[in-house]
Amino acid sequence: MSRLQTKLSALKVVGKTALIPYITAGDPSPKATVALMHLLVEKGADVIELGVPFSDPMADGPVIQKAVERALIHNVSLDDVLEYVRVFREQDMETPVVLMGYLNPIEAQGYEAFANAASSVGVDAVLTVDMPPEESKGYLEALQQANLDRIFLVSPTTPDNRLSAVNEKGSGFVYYVSLKGVTGSKELDVEDVARNMKRLQQSLNMPMGIGFGIKDGATAFEMAKIGDAVIVGSALVKLIEANQSKGSYDIHLAIGKKMTEFRTALDKADALKGQE
Amino acid sequence: MKMDFSKYPDEHGHFGPYGGVFAPETLMAALEQLKDEYASVKNDPAFLKELAEDLQNYVGRPTPLYYAKRWSEHLGGGKIYLKREDLNHTGAHKVNNTIGQALLAKRLGKKRIIAETGAGQHGVASATVAARLGLECVVYMGADDVVRQAPNVARMRMLGATVIPVESGTKTLKDALNEAMRDWVTNVDDTFYIIGTVAGPHPYPAMVRDFQSIIGREAKQQALQHENKLPDVLIACVGGGSNAIGLFHEFLEDDSVEMYGVEPAGLGLETGQHAAPLCKGTPGVFHGNRTYLMQDKNGQILGTHSISAGLDYPGVGPEHAWLKDIGRVNYVAVDDEEALQGFRDLTRFEGIIPALESSHALAYATKLVPTLSKDKMIVVNLSGRGDKDMNTIAQIEGIEF
């Protein structure tokens, strides 16, 4: 089993919902990322999702678009992101790292070269927003051979007949996009998510993470009741934006506080689930 | 072996290694639905009849194939004919496609349409069909383009469309497309996205091509009527590439017909300040398809430059990428200055004010035609008229309104 799969099964055994925070690599500056990753772990992250900056993030809302623009001012490349993971692994061999991004930077490296490089620095899984299972020939094999998990997205609009491809080609977990929209948008409709998750859980053979639009502890609590993992991105990235002029101390303080809010909410939901 | 071009793209939208469906998950079901709906109507006589009637009575087709006699004699090579897409309702070829997609939107029961636009011609054509069908219309346009194509912004607003200036990224066409995609992901249930060019995820490149192919079908008939032969050379400008595919597609299997797709070289191909992915780019994945792109070595999409907003795009339709690789079409480039000269020439020799986009095709004709023998027949696609470019031109020429 991969580091990611091991982690998620261990959490399941003890009845814990995984907390998966997202940050954009290189935001607000290249030197900030590794320290932020360690902070996230210290504040309760079970898995880290690291965003690979891309010039045209068409599935992301304004918060992550701006994060990407901040990173690209420093020309943060996919190679740089892999280097951050390598340095992170010098101190943390336990926390799984998922790269999230768009296909073109991976295309530019070549699937195999990328997969081997990512695996060798300690990346565990890859989620590519604009790579549906239908187009994944070549990409999939390269990741598989490098022992990297393949995360695919499932959305409220995904019809049942496309789920078997996700089972067959995906691994690690399935990322459920909780709303129709871009990252960080709108209010979540908890009942709608619950209804869809029920349908999907019957067909999917992997743990399910829920992401997009989870802003605070209260929403995270509701999501933890229905999913195996809760993914939070824009809510954290927004704090980097708000505190960037003040410096890393204030960014860490704000992110730490928000992470505690999420972790507490998840623990509360887990305790409740344990009693049932 | 003779190639059967009607077999492309394959059922998954691939033109050789190009094309495909590289879209966020939330859109996959909508794209599948569109693919099925389009497949069911594309040979449906009732749909085709409605489309043909609209093109005739509302758009004003067929557009003439006009012999540009004085300009041809000036250049001293072959005979240049202009396919007058500038005479369409709304002033460019774009409406051929929006008419077709609007009929689909209606069949799918969508109440709202969205579009991206560069020069504003596709935005105007979308706002026009929306007004006619009583649909809500939102057009995304790069903030820079809103300024340089102000007359078209006014037209769209007059037609009742909401024009949203896009401030992100490079503030041009690619960013407008990003923003339209974000809108579509959010409102996918009730919204139809009318993509204006032969790019994007399948089925858009094939569908837009089919709607634009009327240009080439008419041109072929008209060439036979005028000269009793097929044209020897076709020339069209290429941004995303919809007017070029529209002209070329009907002739792909006619081996004697040479084709030139003209990209914008901006300030010069060697300066990096251009929008010519076929001449200077490399393959990658962007906006839902694999194609040639302007990108750096890390796979980041580069900013582009062209005097014409409609060609200012770092990608190109996947069918063009494939036609380049198999060598069926020649892709060349002319710079801003040459395009301006093409603009002036047509205006002064023929009394036709062309769009700056189309001026790129005209400029290439001024280079190529003098090298051809007098018996050659050249068809240049005059994809749009230049009214929208008056501000830009007046500024350059020092003309005051």
Side-chain angles (χ1 to χ4, degrees):
Chain A
M1 269 204 301
S2 67
R3 178 161 34 205
L4 176 62
Q5 291 169 27
T6 307
K7 180 76 166 196
L8 293 177
S9 353
L11 290 173
K12 188 147 193 114
V13 170
V14 297
K16 254 186 96 181
T17 305
L19 176 57
I20 309 184
Y22 165 100
I23 54 171
T24 301
D27 171 34
S29 70
K31 61 180 193 303
T33 300
V34 174
L36 274 172
M37 291 170 78
H38 288 306
L39 173 77
L40 293 173
V41 175
E42 188 192 314
K43 297 294 178 185
D46 298 298
V47 176
I48 289 176
E49 204 173 273
L50 195 57
V52 180
F54 178 54
S55 52
D56 293 81
M58 66 177 181
D60 284 298
V63 172
I64 291 179
Q65 284 174 48
K66 280 187 219 148
V68 167
E69 283 178 15
R70 287 194 291 273
L72 286 178
I73 289 171
H74 303 282
N75 289 314
V76 172
S77 67
L78 182 50
D79 281 333
D80 294 330
V81 179
L82 296 181
E83 175 60 15
Y84 307 154
V85 178
R86 191 191 65 75
V87 176
F88 173 74
R89 283 276 174 255
E90 286 174 357
Q91 288 178 53
D92 187 332
M93 288 301 286
E94 203 203 324
T95 312
V97 173
V98 179
L99 294 190
M100 180 172 186
Y102 295 80
L103 185 59
N104 202 47
I106 297 176
E107 285 256 324
Q109 289 207 345
Y111 295 156
E112 262 180 57
F114 160 72
N116 293 334
S119 175
S120 75
V121 298
V123 168
D124 301 287
V126 182
L127 192 177
T128 304
V129 176
D130 51 352
M131 172 55 100
E134 286 86 343
E135 294 285 355
S136 64
K137 198 170 178 308
Y139 166 89
L140 208 65
E141 291 76 6
L143 295 184
Q144 251 162 351
Q145 266 163 26
N147 293 316
L148 294 167
D149 280 315
R150 288 83 53 197
I151 317 289
F152 285 105
L153 298 167
V154 164
S155 86
T157 59
T158 304
D160 287 336
N161 63 17
R162 296 191 64 248
L163 297 175
S164 60
V166 174
N167 276 332
E168 203 181 299
K169 297 178 174 178
S171 66
F173 66 92
V174 172
Y175 187 131
Y176 179 64
V177 177
S178 58
L179 48 78
K180 292 171 201 143
V182 292
T183 50
S185 58
K186 299 194 290 197
E187 291 297 315
L188 265 187
D189 180 344
V190 175
E191 274 175 34
D192 182 67
V193 177
R195 206 168 33 243
N196 266 309
M197 285 289 288
K198 205 166 175 185
R199 163 176 80 95
L200 296 166
Q201 275 159 337
Q202 286 168 354
S203 306
L204 293 170
N205 58 15
M206 269 169 278
M208 294 199 57
I210 307 177
F212 277 45
I214 300 173
K215 290 181 166 57
D216 51 23
T219 331
F221 173 77
E222 295 299 331
M223 293 300 113
K225 290 201 284 195
I226 36 185
D228 304 295
V230 169
I231 303 148
V232 291
S234 297
L236 297 173
V237 173
K238 204 179 274 177
L239 298 173
I240 296 180
E241 184 183 352
N243 291 285
Q244 56 171 325
S245 58
K246 296 187 209 154
S248 62
Y249 178 81
D250 287 278
I251 291 175
H252 279 226
L253 210 64
I255 297 258
K257 201 173 146 208
K258 195 76 188 174
M259 278 295 288
T260 304
E261 179 185 333
F262 286 128
R263 185 74 262 174
T264 309
L266 263 57
D267 290 347
K268 202 170 98 189
D270 291 341
L272 214 66
K273 276 198 281 190
Q275 286 166 15
E276 281 166 10
Chain B
M1 202 182 71
K2 202 158 170 75
M3 207 148 173
D4 180 359
F5 284 92
S6 70
K7 287 209 164 67
Y8 294 87
D10 68 16
E11 59 170 326
H12 304 294
H14 295 122
F15 300 89
Y18 303 108
V21 187
F22 295 89
E25 179 59 31
T26 309
L27 297 180
M28 292 300 285
L31 289 165
E32 191 69 26
Q33 183 195 29
L34 179 59
K35 187 176 94 175
D36 291 346
E37 184 68 18
Y38 179 59
S40 82
V41 301
K42 69 186 263 192
N43 298 313
D44 172 6
F47 178 84
L48 295 176
K49 181 163 173 278
E50 191 175 1
L51 180 62
E53 284 172 1
D54 278 358
L55 289 175
Q56 183 186 330
N57 302 322
Y58 187 70
V59 176
R61 302 202 72 90
T63 59
L65 187 69
Y66 163 74
Y67 173 39
K69 185 160 180 284
R70 204 162 93 85
W71 191 40
S72 298
E73 283 168 3
H74 168 75
L75 291 174
K79 294 173 85 169
I80 304 174
Y81 282 83
L82 303 173
K83 182 58 176 160
R84 297 291 308 273
E85 293 301 301
D86 61 316
L87 292 178
N88 283 327
H89 179 42
T90 72
H93 72 292
K94 291 295 185 187
V95 72
N96 300 330
N97 167 50
T98 59
I99 287 275
Q101 288 200 49
L103 289 179
L104 276 174
K106 203 172 72 176
R107 287 177 72 111
L108 289 167
K110 306 285 182 178
K111 300 276 177 266
R112 178 175 179 268
I113 62 172
I114 57 171
E116 84 294 337
T117 197
Q121 287 303 131
H122 175 59
V124 167
S126 298
T128 298
V129 296
R132 180 170 174 245
L133 296 177
L135 302 171
E136 185 191 346
C137 179
V138 174
V139 179
Y140 292 93
M141 188 168 188
D144 284 358
D145 293 341
V146 167
V147 175
R148 61 176 164 168
Q149 306 281 230
N152 271 345
V153 175
R155 287 169 82 195
M156 286 184 266
R157 290 187 170 142
M158 246 173 254
L159 287 159
T162 305
V163 179
I164 301 184
V166 177
E167 300 282 353
S168 61
T170 60
K171 302 178 188 179
T172 58
L173 179 54
K174 85 175 170 77
D175 310 288
L177 221 146
N178 290 337
E179 212 52 42
M181 283 280 183
R182 291 177 187 125
D183 180 312
W184 200 27
V185 167
T186 308
N187 302 297
V188 63
D189 289 336
D190 70 345
T191 296
F192 189 100
Y193 181 13
I194 301 189
I195 292 184
T197 192
V198 286
H202 183 61
Y204 283 101
M207 181 172 70
V208 177
R209 174 199 69 197
D210 292 349
F211 288 138
Q212 291 294 359
S213 292
I214 183 84
I215 301 172
R217 288 199 302 276
E218 284 178 7
K220 194 178 233 180
Q221 293 302 321
Q222 292 164 326
L224 292 169
Q225 282 161 16
H226 285 292
E227 299 282 337
N228 200 26
K229 66 169 196 172
L230 291 180
D232 300 289
V233 176
L234 306 177
I235 304 175
C237 65
V238 177
S242 67
N243 89 80
I245 278 287
L247 177 63
F248 296 167
H249 199 260
E250 180 69 16
F251 296 95
L252 288 174
E253 289 172 27
D254 299 313
D255 293 337
S256 67
V257 182
E258 267 185 60
M259 304 183 194
Y260 294 88
V262 187
E263 295 195 303
L267 302 179
L269 284 183
E270 68 293 342
T271 65
Q273 298 292 304
H274 57 81
L278 290 166
C279 291
K280 283 286 176 185
T282 50
V285 171
F286 185 51
H287 284 158
N289 65 103
R290 185 178 283 115
T291 186
Y292 278 84
L293 301 173
M294 306 243 322
Q295 57 179 329
D296 68 13
K297 65 179 185 354
N298 297 317
Q300 307 293 353
I301 307 304
L302 293 170
T304 51
H305 168 81
S306 169
I307 192 169
S308 100
L311 304 181
D312 207 349
Y313 181 66
V316 64
E319 190 162 8
H320 286 292
W322 178 65
L323 291 172
K324 169 191 160 75
D325 281 11
I326 64 171
R328 180 65 189 93
V329 178
N330 306 293
Y331 292 94
V332 296
V334 304
D335 66 25
D336 287 352
E337 274 308 317
E338 292 168 319
L340 278 169
Q341 195 54 46
F343 175 94
R344 292 184 196 109
D345 286 350
L346 197 74
T347 304
R348 293 300 178 90
F349 281 107
E350 297 292 344
I352 298 172
I353 300 180
L356 281 174
E357 288 75 17
S358 324
S359 298
H360 286 72
L362 299 165
Y364 190 72
T366 64
K367 289 184 173 183
L368 181 71
V369 171
T371 70
L372 302 176
S373 61
K374 287 200 190 300
D375 60 336
K376 296 287 186 193
M377 178 187 191
I378 301 100
V379 172
V380 180
N381 201 8
L382 190 55
S383 55
R385 59 178 178 242
D387 309 35
K388 70 187 175 57
D389 296 312
M390 287 303 107
N391 285 342
T392 307
I393 301 289
Q395 221 165 22
I396 291 168
E397 309 274 346
I399 298 167
E400 276 180 40
F401 277 104

